[in-house]
Structure formats: structure tokens, C-alpha cells
Amino acid sequence: AGVSRSVIMDNLVQADVPIVEGEFELDDLLSADKVWTSNVTGISYLESIGSSKFSTESIPFLQEIFE
């Protein structure tokens, strides 16, 4: 696991934001409210998978990590 990911996860836990991490089946992702990935440059929110749409509203305190 990378340093950025660790910082993101720590911030989410401190803010009591529910998170689920792991390997997921497609049906698990399709039932999510928000799906995102991260790397050293920031967070990318998935807009859709097929016809399923997700919230792409950024999580402000997480965006600040990368500014």
C-alpha cells in the first residue's frame, strides 16, 4: 500500500466516513454510492460503470491532501 493511500484511509477513519476496501465483484461496485481510486497524484472518482452512475462529488478534506 502506498503512502498517499495510507493518508487517505487515515483521514477517512478520523472523519468517521464509512469505507470498504478490498477486491470486489462487479455487483458489489454497482451497489456503491461512490467509487474512487487513488494514486500519488490524487483521487479519481468513477462516474459510471455501464449504466450505473455514481456520485462524483469530491470529498473536500481529501482533495486538500493533494493541493
Side-chain angles (χ1 to χ4, degrees):
V3 173
S4 294
R5 181 190 159 281
S6 181
V7 170
I8 291 167
M9 300 302 272
D10 289 347
N11 277 273
L12 290 170
V13 169
Q14 289 174 3
D16 291 324
V17 174
I19 56 171
V20 180
E21 65 177 312
E23 295 182 22
F24 302 97
E25 297 291 327
L26 180 58
D27 287 341
D28 296 323
L29 293 175
L30 296 178
S31 67
D33 295 323
K34 186 180 299 262
V35 179
W36 53 270
T37 62
S38 67
N39 62 26
V40 71
T41 62
I43 298 171
S44 297
Y45 298 92
L46 275 68
E47 185 175 309
S48 65
I49 298 175
S51 62
S52 295
K53 306 286 184 196
F54 307 107
S55 168
T56 57
E57 183 177 339
S58 66
I59 303 170
F61 67 91
L62 291 182
Q63 292 302 123
E64 292 172 5
I65 293 170
F66 297 96
E67 293 178 354

